[in-house]
Amino acid sequence: MHKEHTLTKNQQIIFDLIDKSPEPMKAYSILFNVQKKGIKAPLQVYRALDKLVEIGKIHKIESRNAFIACHNSSCQMAKATAFSICEICEKVTEISNDSLSKYLANFKDKDGMKYSKYNLEFFGLCKKCKVK
Amino acid sequence: MHKEHTLTKNQQIIFDLIDKSPEPMKAYSILFNVQKKGIKAPLQVYRALDKLVEIGKIHKIESRNAFIACHNSSCQMAKATAFSICEICEKVTEISNDSLSKYLANFKDKDGMKYSKYNLEFFGLCKKCKVK
DNA sequence: ATTAAATTGTTATAATATAACAAAATGTAA
DNA sequence: TTACATTTTGTTATATTATAACAATTTAAT
Ligand SMILES: [Zn+2]
Ligand SMILES: [Zn+2]
Ligand SMILES: [Zn+2]
Ligand SMILES: [Zn+2]
């Protein structure tokens, strides 16, 4: 469950845009789309993105430098994220799987080190792209 | 086990540099370090990096835009990678763990989809940084 | 009201990565 | 070993992603 945060004006504008996008959005595409709402500079976008990532409302897809809204109630504050990425159509889905998240949250390396955070990206072909 | 590849001149120069670096290296730091060897342009570096990643001799740490040499005989051609990253000193270690790699290689999402490739990045504090 | 903290606006610049095209080196097969 | 295709290299320019620095404004607690 996400802690509730009151988003600021810029954060809300940018979150709404990402949230209604069917694909991950890149920062400068976001910028282009919100210029009519008065957000003119890259830094305004990046600041909002940083905050939204920090509070877990969006996630960054590291391999794509792109951002998607979180629709997964089990990922807490961006500390435990997993995604599937289609290498053809670039569709990205957040994975919500108890077994996986438990396995990773409890994973210890050979020195017994436990980690406070992880990000996992799976790559393959989505259903649509597989049949083609 | 890695398939053997004969590296080209630029690939070898850049691999040697990364291989002997104790930390992940960034592209423009690599460029700076190989300029005395005649590699003058970013594209020369990126081309070598692309190829080295493709054949599994190095890996890209996506969250850091940096590259490390592979020292893990079980990760094949960059298709299955896992790293631990210290959030203070930025030390990166490639994780070699049979249980983990089997678990992830066999992971199926709720639609029964299996993936051909994954990258996992764990974050936390390394031993040294933990005691401070 | 006072003050501290967070957010915003703005300009400039840094850092990361690719496009496009020509030349050279390398591999393959008559 | 010549002819041809493929890969690699060199080079210039440019695109994309992200942050520095600083002033002004808004918000939230005292
Ligand atoms: Zn999420
Ligand atoms: Zn697809
Ligand atoms: Zn490896
Ligand atoms: Zn450390």
Side-chain angles (χ1 to χ4, degrees), chain A residues 2 56-59 68-78 80-83 94-95:
Chain A
H2 290 134
K57 299 279 288 180
I58 66 172
H59 302 301
I68 64 170
C70 177
H71 293 113
N72 178 353
S73 61
S74 76
C75 77
Q76 296 179 8
M77 307 300 278
T81 49
F83 306 96
E94 185 167 358
I95 294 173

Side-chain angles (χ1 to χ4, degrees), chain B residues 48-111:
Chain B
L49 290 174
D50 285 351
K51 191 68 180 187
L52 290 167
V53 166
E54 186 192 324
I55 64 180
K57 299 280 288 180
I58 65 171
H59 302 303
K60 182 173 186 180
I61 309 303
E62 292 287 355
S63 66
R64 299 299 187 260
N65 298 317
F67 301 84
I68 63 170
C70 176
H71 292 113
N72 178 353
S73 60
S74 76
C75 76
Q76 295 180 7
M77 307 300 278
K79 292 225 173 327
T81 49
F83 306 96
S84 77
I85 303 172
C86 175
E87 289 186 295
I88 291 185
C89 72
E90 293 292 326
K91 178 180 158 66
V92 173
T93 309
E94 185 168 359
I95 294 173
S96 177
N97 182 290
D98 277 353
S99 158
L100 177 65
S101 50
K102 272 178 196 152
Y103 185 89
L104 293 177
N106 293 318
F107 178 77
K108 290 182 189 132
D109 73 10
K110 60 172 180 284
D111 299 324

Side-chain angles (χ1 to χ4, degrees), chain A:
Chain A
M1 197 77 123
H2 290 134
K3 184 160 168 245
E4 292 309 322
H5 282 265
T6 311
L7 301 184
T8 66
K9 187 170 117 291
N10 288 2
Q11 288 162 12
Q12 189 70 57
I13 290 169
I14 287 170
F15 175 73
D16 288 344
L17 179 67
I18 297 171
D19 191 40
K20 70 170 200 268
S21 167
E23 301 112 26
M25 294 195 75
K26 311 199 110 197
Y28 277 71
S29 161
I30 292 167
L31 175 59
F32 177 82
N33 276 277
V34 297
Q35 277 177 331
K36 49 183 168 288
K37 304 220 174 187
I39 297 175
K40 289 172 194 158
L43 197 45
Q44 294 175 290
V45 172
Y46 280 103
R47 284 197 284 225
L49 290 173
D50 285 351
K51 192 68 181 187
L52 290 167
V53 166
E54 186 192 324
I55 65 181
K57 299 279 288 180
I58 66 172
H59 302 301
K60 182 173 187 181
I61 309 302
E62 293 286 356
S63 65
R64 300 298 187 259
N65 298 319
F67 300 84
I68 64 170
C70 177
H71 293 113
N72 178 353
S73 61
S74 76
C75 77
Q76 296 179 8
M77 307 300 278
K79 292 224 173 327
T81 49
F83 306 96
S84 78
I85 303 173
C86 176
E87 289 186 295
I88 292 184
C89 72
E90 293 292 325
K91 177 180 158 70
V92 173
T93 308
E94 185 167 358
I95 294 173
S96 177
N97 182 290
D98 277 352
S99 159
L100 177 66
S101 50
K102 271 177 195 151
Y103 185 89
L104 293 177
N106 293 320
F107 178 78
K108 288 180 189 135
D109 72 10
K110 61 172 181 282
D111 299 324
M113 179 170 171
K114 263 191 78 178
Y115 302 97
S116 57
K117 199 173 145 189
Y118 67 79
N119 179 55
L120 171 60
E121 299 181 3
F122 280 110
F123 304 90
L125 302 187
C126 74
K127 276 184 178 175
K128 278 189 185 175
C129 292
K130 201 172 247 169
V131 296
K132 281 173 193 166

